[in-house]
Amino acid sequence: MSSSNREFIYRRLHSLLGVIPVGGFLIIHLSVNWFATRGVEEYNRAAAFMEALPFRYVLEALFIFLPLIFHAVYGLYIAFQARNNTSNFSYFRNWMFRLQRITGVLVLIFVTWHVWETRVAAAFGAEVNFNMMEEIVANPAALIAYIIGITATTFHFANGLWSFAITWGITVSPKSQRIATFVTMGIFAALTFVGIRSILAFVGV
Amino acid sequence: MTTETANKTIELIIVRQEDPESKSYEEKFSIPYRPNMNVISALMEIRRNPVNKEGQNTTPVAWDASCLEEVCGACSMVINGKPRQSCTALIDKLEQPIRLEPMNTFPVMRDLTVDRSRMFDSLKRVKAWVPIDGTYDLGPGPRMPEAKRQWAYELSKCMSCGVCLQACPNVNDKSDFIGPAAISQVRLFNAHPTGAMHKAERLQTLMDGDGGLSNCGNSQNCVEACPKEIPLTTSIAAMNRATTLQSFKNFFGSDNTA
Ligand code: SF4
Ligand code: FES
């Protein structure tokens, strides 16, 4: 009987991986970015520390790229299975459902571009440091893309935490789900502040 | 009848369809107003005199109804964008023109009539009953705590109308999600003291195969749409918790299999 519960496992895995490790990595990444607000030296030291972590490629593959790719590919499949109906059912949670799918697609595009410009460039010899980011966001279009990308990412993560809590049966009562909405939107606001404040540091704001 | 009432009309736009295969089209109707009408009596008026707004003769509109008091669910259709029961949809409370559409999440048989078989197939899938048949009298079952009876009673009000499936963005032609109603029935029958003896089996039906419990995307439209105000999203979350525990039991092993 248990051999046919593949979809259940995939869906639960998709939910889990979005938080652990992908969400965890997002928090670490945003924390490292914050060093940019403390100046070039501090940022470069933090970036160098991350780059010098032992077993970096194994860690990156196991805790970032593989879970991220699974979450993204399966997430796309989930997103395109929905027939959005916010026009007839314009409830708050239905909008959040829709936004979760829209931001999911945005984040996938953003992250692909971001990895291309930083990690892939690094693989071809570019150095990942303050200067690299400074040059990227010197282009106003890129800066706007980063701001949109960061906001979509923090929203997708925070709102994803809300549904994670339901998917695993943590928040069952309507009251706990309502409070989880406030908590996760607080997390969204806080992480968005951290993300945008950091990216602005690269344009000297 | 006052002249004012005599000249008043009810404007309707009805999405019609000849048979399951043909394309749907809209037809406008303008029928004489009478006080205290509901959508059903408006449809009966069209049946009595099947003439559309342009004055052409047409076929009477097909629809389904039975109890006429919102307990059978047969008369469900989409009224001004919202799926609901037409027998309790009062004309005076609806914005005109009133738009009637079939609940197209289900196969449309003709006009506003749909085939809700999948509701009953899902109840079979999740074993929404308490099996007690046997060769000898098993005696009385265990008693149910009153507090539990109270919330379980709310879940038992489901009339399989299908409104929650129509409202759900994840129940559609691209996905075979079972929908909220049957999930809530698992919670109901697992709460029943005798039904609980088959708890694990019912939970398994929600985990196995495609379109099970995990296809819920938490849009929470169902709980807004349900005419019986069944706490569907609480049921879904409760079943999420129960299947989480059940899958741990299944994987790591437990004597406590029920
Ligand atoms: S749960 Fe509510 S909306 Fe869904 S089928 Fe039952 S009565 Fe209808
Ligand atoms: S006819 Fe039974 S619910 Fe409307």
Side-chain angles (χ1 to χ4, degrees), chain B residues 56-133:
Chain B
Q56 296 149 342
N57 286 333
T58 182
T59 49
V61 178
W63 83 93
D64 233 345
S66 175
C67 71
L68 300 179
E69 53 177 354
E70 206 178 88
V71 289
C72 77
C75 68
S76 310
M77 59 182 72
V78 180
I79 302 171
N80 284 349
K82 293 270 192 307
R84 55 183 294 192
Q85 280 70 52
S86 50
C87 66
T88 45
L90 303 178
I91 297 291
D92 290 335
K93 292 196 175 156
L94 292 170
E95 198 183 307
Q96 289 191 33
I98 299 165
R99 197 180 160 81
L100 305 180
E101 293 164 75
M103 293 203 296
N104 57 8
T105 281
F106 300 91
V108 178
M109 302 320 285
R110 181 182 169 91
D111 298 337
L112 302 169
T113 344
V114 296
D115 177 4
R116 287 180 301 129
S117 306
R118 65 169 291 172
M119 298 299 295
F120 309 104
D121 294 340
S122 336
L123 291 177
K124 285 185 221 158
R125 167 173 169 176
V126 304
K127 303 177 198 279
W129 55 78
V130 176
I132 47 163
D133 288 346

Side-chain angles (χ1 to χ4, degrees), chain B residues 182-201:
Chain B
I183 296 172
S184 189
Q185 290 304 299
V186 173
R187 182 170 175 230
L188 171 65
F189 284 93
N190 281 2
H192 187 282
T194 311
M197 293 173 188
H198 295 79
K199 205 168 143 198
E201 206 181 323

Side-chain angles (χ1 to χ4, degrees), chain A residues 1-9 11-12 77-85 87-91 93-95 97 101 162-164 166-174 177, chain B residues 81-83 166-170 172-176 201 204 206-215 217-221 224-225 233-234 237-241 243-244 247-248:
Chain A
M1 229 184 169
S2 57
S3 59
S4 57
N5 61 358
R6 202 178 56 216
E7 193 185 57
F8 181 81
I9 307 249
R11 295 259 174 173
R12 286 290 175 101
Y77 165 70
I78 292 177
F80 286 105
Q81 260 194 334
R83 286 221 183 271
N84 282 295
N85 54 11
S87 51
N88 280 334
F89 304 92
S90 54
Y91 308 119
R93 285 270 45 125
N94 196 28
W95 270 107
F97 170 92
R101 279 144 187 78
W162 178 84
S163 51
F164 173 89
I166 294 180
T167 300
W168 291 88
I170 300 165
T171 49
V172 170
S173 70
Q177 294 178 4
Chain B
K82 293 270 192 307
Q166 175 72 26
C168 178
N170 272 1
N172 60 52
D173 50 325
K174 293 185 283 184
S175 121
D176 37 21
E201 206 181 323
Q204 204 64 46
L206 291 181
M207 297 192 274
D208 284 344
D210 286 350
L213 169 67
S214 60
N215 281 45
N218 301 304
S219 83
Q220 303 206 331
N221 283 353
E224 304 274 356
T233 49
T234 311
M239 291 303 96
N240 278 334
R241 180 181 291 178
T243 49
T244 302
S247 46
F248 281 133

Side-chain angles (χ1 to χ4, degrees), chain A residues 2 10 15 21 38 50-51 58 76 85 88 106 109 116 132 139 156 160 173-174 178 198:
Chain A
S2 57
Y10 281 171
S15 170
R38 298 186 185 165
M50 295 305 287
E51 247 179 342
V58 179
L76 270 185
N85 54 11
N88 280 334
L106 284 178
I109 297 168
W116 175 261
M132 174 193 236
N139 176 354
H156 192 81
S173 70
R178 208 158 42 241
S198 308

Side-chain angles (χ1 to χ4, degrees), chain A residues 22 44 48 94 107 123 158 166-167 188:
Chain A
V22 176
N44 285 344
N94 196 28
V107 173
I166 294 180
T167 300
F188 167 56

